Amino acid sequence: MAGALIWSLILALASCGITVAAVHTFRRYRAGLRLQASGTATTGRCTSLSWRQDDVSVRFSYALPDGTEYEADSFPLARTSVSPGSAVSVVYDPASPATAELADGLERAVRSHRRTLLATSPLLVMFVALDAWTALALLA
């Protein structure tokens, strides 16, 4: 009985972790779709590059027509020819101007988030089903 309870708790924690990651990915995916559908293009400036293993993220700033300045980080790219101070094409959400992405990386970001959701959804369903099965076994 104690073993089943421990497994049930472990599965519940794993389900919660996968759910948090899936919700975060879903929100980023939806933001990317909004940018593709109704984003506004502008020109920004690369402020810095951040390397991590084989990927690079571009930190960029951009201004709205009213002069309001924003900064954002790009989705990790495999390579870039951008250097600090250079001009970059940016797409931002007019309804939420802090949401922006490099125009060159937008399609890749949306595809990556879609693949992540497709990979984690069955895993989440499996963990929830196993947790429910274990919980039912505890009640029996």
Side-chain angles (χ1 to χ4, degrees), residues 45-93:
R45 289 263 171 238
C46 170
T47 57
S48 66
L49 299 174
S50 175
W51 294 91
R52 190 190 71 174
Q53 295 176 350
D54 295 333
D55 294 330
V56 60
S57 290
V58 177
R59 180 112 178 124
F60 57 93
S61 62
Y62 56 100
L64 301 184
D66 68 1
T68 308
E69 294 264 341
Y70 287 93
E71 269 198 340
D73 292 309
S74 73
F75 183 77
L77 304 166
R79 59 185 168 5
T80 184
S81 59
V82 174
S83 60
S86 63
V88 291
S89 291
V90 175
V91 179
Y92 70 91
D93 185 350

Side-chain angles (χ1 to χ4, degrees), residues 27-41 60 73-77 89-93 99-115:
R27 292 180 74 184
R28 300 277 314 252
Y29 174 65
R30 292 275 314 245
L33 291 178
R34 275 194 313 275
L35 287 174
Q36 284 181 325
S38 61
T40 300
F60 57 93
D73 292 309
S74 73
F75 183 77
L77 304 166
S89 291
V90 175
V91 179
Y92 70 91
D93 185 350
T99 302
E101 183 60 72
L102 293 179
D104 295 340
L106 182 56
E107 180 62 34
R108 181 173 183 255
V110 170
R111 268 196 325 263
S112 177
H113 293 314
R114 182 183 310 123
R115 278 193 304 258

